[in-house]
Each structure stands twice: as structure tokens, then as C-alpha cells.
Amino acid sequence: MSLTWLYPVSILFLAGFSEEIQQSGVINIGSILSFGTINGRVAKIAMTAAVEDVNSDSSVLGGRKLVLSMHDSNYSGFLDIMGALQYMETDTVAIIGPQTSVMAHVIAHFANELHVPLLSFTALDPSITPFQYPYFIQTAPTDLYQIAAIADMISYFGYREVIAIFTDDDKNRNGITILGDILAERRAKISYKATIPPEPAPIRDHVMEELLNIRMMEPRVIVVNTYTKTGFMVFDIAQNLGMVDKGYVWIATNWLSAAMDATQILPDTANSIQGVLTLRLHIPDSKRKRAFASRWNKLSNGSIGLNTYGLYAYDTVWIIANAVKLFLAHGSTISFSNYSSLNVLGGRVLNLSALSIFDGGQMLLSNIVQTNMRGLTGPIEFNPDRSMKRPAYDILNVIGNGFRQIGYWSNYSGLSVDPPETLYSRQANRSSSNQKLYGVLWPGKTEVKPRGWVFPNNGKRLRIGVPNRVSYKDFVSLDNHTGLIHGYCIDVFLAAIKLLPYAVPHEFILFGDGLKNPSYTELVRMITSNVFDAAVGDIAIVANRTKIVDFTQPYIESGLVVVVPVRKLHSSAWAFLRPFTPSMWGVTAAFFLLVGVVVWILEHRVNNEFRGPLKKQLVTLLWFSFSTMFFAQRENTMSTLGRIVLIIWLFVVLIINSSYTASLTSILTVQQLSSSINGIESLITSNDPIGFQVGSFAENYLREELDIAKSRLVPLGSPEAYADALERRIVAAVVDEQPYIDLFLSKYCKFRVVGQPFTRSGWGFAFPRDSPLAIDMSTAILSLSENGELQKIDDKWLNKSMCGPQPQISQSDQLNLESFWGLFLVCGVAFLIALLVYFWLMFCKFKQHCPETSESSRFGSSYSAHFQRFLSFVDQKEEVTSNRLKRKRTGNSTVCQGKET
């Protein structure tokens, strides 16, 4: 029989019920929680106390009564929905709940349609945004801040890999996803995610299986993001498996602190969580908080303790009460109207037509969002995105049956040992130097920080790729007699492994066909494809490889160098001419003659040794010039200018003699390059072919970085091929890494390195990205270097020189004019200045001694005759000129005619 006639009656009944509520002054709010849970039980007591406190204060609602209806969903999502529909049929102005984020996503849709604010202090999934659910408000900080605090703790202790155990529902899954994103920004990661079926029925066997898998893994940092019942089960099983002991790091979200604050933990459970780190929402101390805590035993009859969720539940009721107070103060009335969109259903299936829209829902929502009050949890305000302002957490270490607080976390200043409220008056500072926590008592009752990573004892060996070289086998090779892989690189690796505080079972696997050196870049790539767990050998640390793997600390320096052949020059009868180029010889000879001429001019008037017949003076000039080379001139200089010129010239001669001697010695004793290549610069500018070792990164470097044509590159596979190519001039130079060249030069003495290494790198062992083993091996390599063991391995394999002491190489056997032109320029300028000064002084004396000659020149006397008289005056000896001047003054002689009268 159809009952559709009942629905209009139902509507009239509800309308009458609404009017009755308005007249009675009752304001209905509802709650949807699972009161069988710890947080549900605590919240029920706290909300009841809050309603009583609101109703006892007539100034809040002006005499109206706040009525709280409680609906127990009993872990059932279906009952959550039914409870919400029930409240929305009975003129409820706001709903507190639901308890889980999963149901918050569902019920928030009803709240959006019917304009009923939905407030929750436990459904804190960050993915529930006000853009999608404008009527849903989280009255406690979202889990985003808790996850950020955990990420900060992991970074603070320096861990790079973590394992996450979480309940597979929206809230916990989203939290772990966010944790992975934050850790990735800090070069850390979640290496394994262990999922657990949602409550109320977690399967113990499933948890056991996941923990057994985790025990076989390398990371020992485990984050548990779940609910109380599941969380304690995880720790109970982990303790039975020996996983809550030294070496492990356990971090639990705030479900653990909430449970321990509210209930008495059994001894067995307490033992299973010793040393665990957890978080608690930070509640600043206040008189109201202490007063409420003192009332709690009476309110709860000692049945359960007070946790932070109880405080947030109490404040949530007051948030609604204050918003309703503001709503009524603006003259608004609480009224509801039919939801017309549901009329199309005709009420034939469900009584949905009974649902009504809260007409004042938008205004009440606005009042809630603009809340600015002080509650038991401290100042209550919302950000524009409706998240709580200044969220903070206590960081706790489980000790005994309680907690030891080791610090705080806030989104304002990160980790701190000072309470967050004391930091808000200071400038925000999240620098690493300001991140501090107190000491932790870790699982196993140790204060030594766990490494967070171990090599698992699961019988699996580390697969290590080793290049199967066909040349330079001193670095790594297979011993055909014993079947073992040995060499310099292998010895370094084994010595480092022995220094690790744990065993590393491993096996070496050859990579390559044994016919040619393999590609080292391909060897490194095979680590990323999980073919190898590591790579050991003469592997250069270069940029394109560090992008895909992590390298250890270099254990030997490396760099590309240029090698060319050298030759020993044989002496000849004309070897003494080789130190100077022809131009240098010519300029030097010219200056020897020039200094003789300059000194002859300066000394001719005052020095008898520079006077006499023309033939004698010419011989004297030449003798004096070239005798200065040996500082053996017998003629003494008497003039000041002459002595100055001679001192400068002798300094020049000293430099020339020293340079000549050094160059001639070098030519007669050292080896010379048989190539014009003297470094990478000249190699690039030449058109000569360039040899490189097969498998080395030199080929890519020359082509990509130095832009050398591929046609110039000649692959060489062995030291013999190197030597043959250089001997036969197939290549002009060989470019390869320094350690290879050192071994090559120790055997072949006719070749040398020219120039400086033009890349700086080293050899290291390769591991997967973010592998803790790479860090531990780096530490071990540094220890080998410090204790001298690395040098002993070097001496064993690499110091095998067969050539003995190597003579010096000369790259340039002649001195050219460019090296001395500055010296000659200074000398020439000094000569010129000396001559100018000398002739100026002579001209002044000439005017003094022959004034009549100067006067006659004004009246047409011949300039040539005048110049001849000047030269005749300069040629005269200084004593003769002085004597004639005296006679002229007595009237007995004529000075300027060149004769006595």
C-alpha cells in the first residue's frame, strides 16, 4: 500500500516542531562520534561539560539553552550517514563530527547542500579543503602540520630512508603521501609502505607478515600512522620479533600520545613502546586549562584520563556557542525551509523531503570562521584557508609508562627546546643552527643515536659490478688461476668493508666481454636498473654519472692529461748557437757595438785611452764593446755619463750571460719534446689526431665539452697500443686519466705528460641514490687515508716504475727576442738620454768658449762651417780646451779656429 500521503503530514509535523523549538528557546546541535573509542569517550565527557558551562552562563545565549544530541556511529560509516540525516531533519544548527576523515568527505556534501556547519577536531585530513567543502571546519590543526613535524625530526637526526606503516584509509594514506613529498624535498624518501586494513578489524597475521618483510630491509626508521588499536598491535608484534631494540627508530603520530594520556597502559604494552618518539598537540599552560584538568576526575568519575582531543572537543562547543551568540546579536532568527531539489523524488523511496535547509547557515558559518577567542587550547583563530593559526606539537619520548618531553615543533620556528608561545615574540627563524632537541632514550635503552640503516641479515649478497678490463689490469682483473678478482680498486674496497661496523656479504660480477674495455657509464646505469647493487673499479666521478647514482669519497685523484713522446737531442759542433734565436743573436751583437760607440763618444774628450789615430780608436771601440761580455775591459771610464751607461749595460750583460748558460745547459742535458703539443690548449688548436682509452669518459669529454671533431679521435685499447701509436706518429697526443698514464709512463720511458691536468675528479665506488652504504664507505675510505693503509695499497699496485729517475723535459730550447725586448728597450733609452745630456753640455761649453762664432752665425755665416767648428770643438781634448780658454782671456790665443796664434 502506498504511504505517500504520510509525507505531507510529516512535513507539517516538522514545521510545527521547528516552530515549537523557536518558541521554547532551544538551540540544537548534534555530534557524530564513535563513543567506544578512546577519543570518542573523552570527547563525550568534554562536550557535555562544555554545554553545561555554556548554559550556566546566561550572557552567552541570552537565556536560551544549548541542547547537544549525541549519535554513536559505533565504527560504522553507514551509521555516520544516518546520524547526519537525522540531525538535518530536526532543525540542528551545527554538527560536531564525524570522527574519521573518510566519513567527513561524505557528510560534508550534505552540509554543503543544507547549509549546516560541520565541525570536527579529529577528522584532520589535509585534503579536505574549504574550496570543495565550504561548510566543513577543522577545529584542530590538520595532519599536514604533524607530518611536517615528523619530516623535520627525520631531517634533524640525519636519516635518509624511512619505512611507513599506516592504515589504508583516506586520512592515514594521505598523511603518508604528504610525508613522502616533504622528505623528497630534503633528499630523503619512504623506501617501503606497509598498509594495514582499516579498523575495527585489523588482521594480526597481515601485520605480522608486513613486519617480517620490514625486518629483512635495510632502513631502520619506521613511522606508524594509524589508530590506537592497530598501533598497539603493531608494537606488540614488533617486540615479539625483536624489532623494538637497538638500531631501530620508531616514530608514532599523535594517536599514541592521545591513548597514553587517556588510559593506563598495561606493562606489556608499555615495554613494547619504550624509546618511541611521538607527538602531542601543544596546549599552552593557562589557569583555565589547569582548572578544567582538576575538574576532570569528577566529570569522568575516574573512568578515563584527559587528552588533547578532550580539550579541543570542549573548545569546539564554545566555538559554536559564541558563533550563535553573534548570530542572535545581529537580530537573525533560526529558521529552516524545505529543500526543493528533493521534491523530484516524490518521497517514493526515502523520506528525503523531510530534510530542510538552515536559512542562517551562511551567516553562522561566517561567524565560526571569524572566531577570535581564548579557549582551553589557547588562542583560537582561523587562517584564510580555515586552518588553525600557529599550530604546534610537543615532541615526546616514551619512557616507562609515560613521556619525557624532548622539545617542541611549530610551523613558526621549527624544532625548539623553548615553548612555541615564547618564540612568537621573536622573529621567525627556521635555520638549521636553531633547530634543537633534548637527548633521546632510543629503543634498547641506549642514548646513542641509531644509524637508521643496517645491512640486512637476509642471506642476500650485495651484487657488485666489476669492469672486465683487458688493459691496465693492475687496477682490476680476474686471476685465471684462482678465479678471484683482484687489483688496486678491489683491495681498497675490501679494506674499507672491513672498517664497517656490520658485515656486508657480497659477490663480484664481471661486466664486459673481455675483448675490450667495457663502457663505464653503462656499468653505472645498470645500478639504476637493479642489475647491480653497486659498482667497484676504476670509475671516474663525473657529472653525468652523479645524476643517477651516489659515489663514495674519492680514493684516488684523477684527471685528464696530455701525453706526448720525447727524444734525447744529440750534441753537435754548433750546439752553442742554439740557446738564442737568430734575431736574438743579431740584436745582442748590435747592442754590443752600440755600447762601444756610446762609451767612445762620452769618453773621447776626457780619456786618453779613447784618443789617438782613427785605426787605434776603432780597435779600442771594438775591443771595449765585446770585452764587456766577460767584464774584462782594460779601459777605465772617467766620465760620469760613461760610467752610468756602462753600469746599465753590464747589468744587461749579466742577465744575457745567465740566460745563455742556463739554456745551453738545458739543451745539452735534458730531453726534448718531439711534438709541438705542449698542453690541452695547443692540442685543441692543432689538427692532429688524439688517442684515448676505450671505455674512458675522455671521449665524451673531448667531443661534448671541448668540441673536438670525432674524426680526430682514435680509440686505443692497451698500453702497447698507446706506445705504438705515439711511436709511429699515428696520434700526436694521448688524452686519458692520470692513474692510467702513471702506470703507462712507469713502463714506457719515452713519453711524458705535458701541461697540467685539465679536469679534476677522482675514482669512487658507485651505489644507488641515497644509499647509506655510500656514506659509510666514504667514512671508511677517509679512515684508510688517515691511518696510512691507503698509501700502502698505492705502493703495492701503482709504484712500479721501471724507468728510474726521469730527466727533465724541455718544451722550448731557444730564447727569443720577445723575452728580452723590455731589457733592450731600457738600455737603449738610457743610451739615448746619456747622449742627449752629453751633447747639451758640449753645446753649452761651445757657446761659452766661442761666443764670437755664435754671433757671426747670426750674420750669414755658413751653418756647415759652424757645425764643423762645433765638431772640431767636441773632438778637442778637455785639457786643451781649458788651456786655450785661459789664454783667450789673457789675449794670447784664439780658441775656436782650431789653432794657436
Side-chain angles (χ1 to χ4, degrees), residues 771-791:
S771 170
L773 189 56
I775 300 174
D776 291 349
M777 287 293 287
S778 293
T779 304
I781 290 172
L782 290 175
S783 298
L784 290 176
S785 177
E786 292 172 359
N787 63 24
E789 188 65 27
L790 190 59
Q791 185 60 49

Side-chain angles (χ1 to χ4, degrees), residues 450-466:
R451 295 172 49 255
W453 181 92
V454 297
F455 199 86
N457 186 19
N458 56 8
K460 180 183 176 182
R461 291 175 174 270
L462 198 69
R463 298 163 300 172
I464 302 176
V466 176

Side-chain angles (χ1 to χ4, degrees), residues 454-528:
V454 297
F455 199 86
N457 186 19
N458 56 8
K460 180 183 176 182
R461 291 175 174 270
L462 198 69
R463 298 163 300 172
I464 302 176
V466 176
N468 190 8
R469 295 194 58 87
V470 296
S471 61
Y472 297 107
K473 294 191 174 184
D474 289 328
F475 293 114
V476 56
S477 63
L478 174 65
D479 190 328
N480 294 324
H481 298 290
T482 63
L484 300 177
I485 298 174
H486 65 146
Y488 169 75
C489 302
I490 302 299
D491 279 6
V492 174
F493 178 80
L494 295 178
I497 284 288
K498 291 179 181 178
L499 296 181
L500 298 183
Y502 49 88
V504 182
H506 60 274
E507 59 178 331
F508 295 118
I509 303 173
L510 288 174
F511 172 71
D513 56 13
L515 302 177
K516 62 179 180 179
N517 292 332
S519 169
Y520 283 59
T521 300
E522 184 61 28
L523 171 60
V524 169
R525 256 194 215 104
M526 295 184 78
I527 298 176
T528 63

Side-chain angles (χ1 to χ4, degrees), residues 34 46 173 196 368 446 530 604 690 702:
S34 294
R173 187 189 314 111
I196 299 174
I368 292 173
T446 177
N530 203 33
H604 182 67
I690 305 170
L702 293 172

